[in-house]
Amino acid sequence: MTTVSAPGKVHLMGEHAVVYGKPALLSAVNLRLLVSIEEGKSEIIAPAPEVADVVYHAMDVVRREYKLSELPDFRVTIVSDIPFGFHLGSSAALAVATVGATIYAVKKQWNPVLINQLAYEVEKKQHGNPSGGDNTA
């Protein structure tokens, strides 16, 4: 089993300006989201149904990055202290932790730069024009 944890974040200033290339100040917060992946029955255990779409997309981004025809069947379990919908970076934490866990489960590699880059791709589908700050925090 592979488990990866990612923190939530808070914008201290510049939350909307950062999307337009202006500076912002962010900080990680002491709330975490954990993604655990193990080979086996293909299923997603998550705190909300819409989480599954993000997980599938994140795993597909990893599959495409490594030019794999398919991934093994994985049981994915998500546990989160980060409340969804409160601008605390829950979707970015989900993207980062899922990408990181998938890469490690498939390739046994840990590359924070690549994880951040691929999580940003996942965030683009979720938010259209994200700043990249959430997944980086």
Side-chain angles (χ1 to χ4, degrees):
M1 178 186 304
T2 300
T3 300
V4 173
S5 168
K9 62 82 191 149
V10 64
H11 277 271
L12 301 173
M13 63 175 240
E15 181 171 7
H16 297 289
V18 72
V19 174
Y20 302 104
K22 302 297 181 193
L25 182 59
L26 291 85
S27 177
V29 296
N30 195 21
L31 298 171
R32 298 194 80 78
L33 180 139
L34 289 93
V35 172
S36 297
I37 293 180
E38 59 187 322
E39 285 195 48
K41 182 182 174 188
S42 182
E43 68 178 321
I44 296 176
I45 301 165
E50 60 273 10
V51 169
D53 291 338
V54 178
V55 170
Y56 286 127
H57 180 62
M59 293 174 83
D60 192 54
V61 166
V62 171
R63 182 194 61 76
R64 285 183 279 137
E65 174 67 21
Y66 286 98
K67 298 174 178 49
L68 302 170
S69 58
E70 60 184 41
L71 293 174
D73 286 339
F74 286 124
R75 180 176 192 234
V76 181
T77 305
I78 295 111
V79 177
S80 182
D81 296 330
I82 308 167
F84 292 92
F86 285 87
H87 301 274
L88 293 174
S90 60
S91 67
L94 177 62
V96 168
T98 303
V99 166
T102 304
I103 289 173
Y104 198 82
V106 171
K107 292 292 185 177
K108 300 296 185 242
Q109 296 175 350
W110 188 253
N111 181 338
V113 173
L114 180 62
I115 291 168
N116 189 35
Q117 175 189 356
L118 297 182
Y120 180 62
E121 293 303 314
V122 175
E123 282 284 274
K124 283 188 208 176
K125 182 174 183 197
Q126 287 297 109
H127 301 292
N129 185 29
S131 69
D134 288 18
N135 51 280
T136 302

